[in-house]
Amino acid sequence: MHLLQHGRRSWVVGPRFAGRASWSGWPRYNHAVHAAFNPVSLIEDEKGKRGFRQQLLAWYDQHGRDLPWRRDHEPYRVWISEIMLQQTRVAAVIEHYKKFLQRFPTVEKLAAAREASVLAAWSGLGYYRRARMLHAAAKKIVKEHKGKFPAAAKDLRALPGIGRYTSAAIASIAYGGPVAVVDGNVERVLSRLLGSRLGDERSWQTAEELLDRPRAGDFNQAMMELGAMVCVPRQPACLKCPVIEWCVTRGELEKLQKGIPQTRTEIHYALDCRHGSVFLVQRAKNVSLMPGMWELPEIPCEPKLHPNHKNNNPTAAFSGTVLTLRHSITVTDYTVRVRQAAAPDESLGKWIARNRIAALPLTGLARKILRASKII
């Protein structure tokens, strides 16, 4: 037993704590306490690592979320889920994952599809480069591997859009390969376990040392689940943590610096509907952000009549805001105002029949606007 004290707070840590200690007041990370008691040794030796693995996997077996991509370890489905989950919340991925697999149930179907169809199915997830790389990788798998996924992480990394993390995730989850993964969740868990912020290579090295090799896929998912559900970025649920016995920090690490502040801006779009069609514009193929995607035409905040507009009645070309919504892209928060207005320059766009719009590769914001307007 260890009695830890700091000021008027104290708590008792036993050999099998696992969240059942007695204490008065739960302290956040404190350097004085850290210096007095540093249980890093609990995961430095093999006995400690073994106990950590057993406790984490027992928790995951009982409490892991029932997510659709965890029900089937088929490599194609694991790959699709891992690409979708990059920089995207689980809740946002679930329905997209199901619909995407309905449309492209096999890697052969995905490889044979037009890029525009893949982008349309991806619409709403953002970061469209992922979809393009997914499509390119599917073609390479079919052409060079006869539709069979490579099993080794090093071979998976040769595919477009697959880096160190994704290759390790597919190799371990789909094939049981003994390779660890490190994403944002895992890195946070490891940093708190050891009581210091780890660099990239040290995180990977530590993850490899902790890995339960007979159950590599489950262990990797358990580490990510722990970071997503318990060891969260702010206000971690330490009292519910199954491996708190091995944790140095037991709370948040001290912040090194403030994150990049969000900027706010306002944009306006024209919603021009006539005779069962909507006027849309296509982004240039050579732009860096969402090339080739379709969206509503952007208009000035104070729209003016086009000098060549055939109707000189201002209310015919501009009849006020019909929709206001919020939209965020990385570090920018947008206030989006949609107006019933004539497109500024029809030569830059195209009239699209309403029944064809849903099949287009729309930007996430365009799809959000058109759904809110009950056009799709």
Side-chain angles (χ1 to χ4, degrees):
M1 290 287 188
H2 301 274
L3 176 64
L4 306 183
Q5 293 182 314
H6 179 58
R8 290 185 295 174
R9 291 176 174 178
S10 64
W11 65 102
V12 178
V13 179
R16 292 253 55 87
F17 184 131
R20 295 186 292 276
S22 59
W23 62 86
S24 59
W26 183 260
R28 291 192 178 279
Y29 178 71
N30 183 281
H31 287 283
V33 174
H34 184 183
F37 175 65
N38 186 339
V40 170
S41 60
L42 289 177
I43 59 170
E44 280 187 340
D45 60 26
E46 190 52 43
K47 182 179 179 181
K49 290 185 178 72
R50 188 162 55 249
F52 178 90
R53 295 166 189 146
Q54 291 172 351
Q55 193 81 352
L56 179 65
L57 285 169
W59 169 81
Y60 178 70
D61 289 341
Q62 185 174 356
H63 299 288
R65 287 171 292 176
D66 180 21
L67 300 173
W69 46 86
R70 289 180 177 169
R71 301 169 194 163
D72 187 344
H73 291 169
E74 196 272 323
Y76 174 69
R77 292 169 178 258
V78 173
W79 172 52
I80 297 297
S81 70
E82 288 298 334
I83 299 298
M84 286 188 171
L85 288 165
Q86 292 172 8
Q87 298 177 293
T88 306
R89 293 177 299 107
V90 168
V93 167
I94 292 174
E95 286 306 313
H96 279 89
Y97 172 81
K98 293 176 180 177
K99 291 178 180 178
F100 195 91
L101 286 178
Q102 286 174 356
R103 190 162 185 181
F104 309 112
T106 65
V107 68
E108 290 82 5
K109 290 281 188 182
L110 180 58
R114 295 182 302 114
E115 183 180 272
S117 298
V118 177
L119 292 174
W122 194 269
S123 183
L125 285 172
Y127 300 99
Y128 292 93
R129 185 176 180 276
R130 294 181 298 172
R132 290 186 170 90
M133 292 296 99
L134 193 79
H135 193 214
K139 290 182 176 180
K140 187 169 183 177
I141 291 166
V142 170
K143 183 177 179 180
E144 299 182 11
H145 300 276
K146 298 181 180 180
K148 183 176 176 59
F149 270 79
K154 64 180 179 61
D155 297 326
L156 286 162
R157 290 187 72 174
L159 297 173
I162 295 184
R164 185 175 185 179
Y165 162 77
T166 306
S167 62
I170 297 171
S172 63
I173 298 170
Y175 295 107
V179 56
V181 303
V182 175
D183 68 350
N185 286 320
V186 174
E187 184 175 2
R188 182 170 59 257
V189 169
L190 294 175
S191 293
R192 286 173 176 167
L193 279 172
L194 298 181
S196 65
R197 298 183 187 278
L198 309 181
D200 186 60
E201 283 307 315
R202 190 181 174 202
S203 293
W204 282 94
Q205 179 184 347
T206 305
E208 287 287 349
E209 292 171 356
L210 282 177
L211 181 67
D212 187 290
R213 296 184 180 278
R215 294 185 61 187
D218 288 339
F219 183 85
N220 285 334
Q221 291 183 93
M223 287 287 284
M224 292 186 280
E225 187 82 344
L226 185 68
M229 303 304 295
V230 177
C231 197
V232 295
R234 291 179 292 276
Q235 297 183 333
C238 296
L239 300 185
K240 297 180 180 179
C241 181
V243 291
I244 193 170
E245 176 182 344
W246 292 269
C247 183
V248 173
T249 306
R250 301 183 183 186
E252 292 185 57
L253 281 168
E254 289 187 334
K255 292 180 173 59
L256 295 177
Q257 60 184 21
K258 292 184 178 180
I260 300 173
Q262 290 287 112
T263 59
R264 300 177 183 275
T265 189
E266 185 170 306
I267 49 176
H268 292 225
Y269 288 99
L271 181 59
D272 197 352
C273 304
R274 304 180 199 178
H275 311 296
S277 295
V278 179
F279 189 80
L280 299 175
V281 295
Q282 188 175 26
R283 297 177 66 84
K285 303 282 188 180
N286 58 351
V287 297
S288 59
L289 186 64
M290 297 177 285
M293 307 292 285
W294 290 83
E295 61 185 354
L296 275 69
E298 190 173 349
I299 57 176
C301 293
E302 296 296 333
K304 299 178 181 179
L305 283 175
H306 192 281
N308 297 325
H309 198 280
K310 63 181 180 181
N311 192 330
N312 290 322
N313 179 3
T315 60
F318 169 53
S319 56
T321 302
V322 295
L323 178 67
T324 300
L325 49 83
R326 307 286 182 185
H327 189 70
S328 295
I329 300 178
T330 59
V331 295
T332 304
D333 292 330
Y334 293 95
T335 297
V336 182
R337 304 196 189 280
V338 183
R339 304 179 184 275
Q340 286 182 342
D345 188 347
E346 294 185 359
S347 65
L348 298 178
K350 186 176 180 180
W351 290 98
I352 308 292
R354 289 180 64 162
N355 61 3
R356 291 187 52 233
I357 292 175
L360 288 177
L362 299 166
T363 65
L365 177 55
R367 190 170 293 273
K368 184 186 293 187
I369 292 170
L370 293 171
R371 279 179 175 160
S373 305
K374 302 189 184 306
I375 289 173
I376 60 174

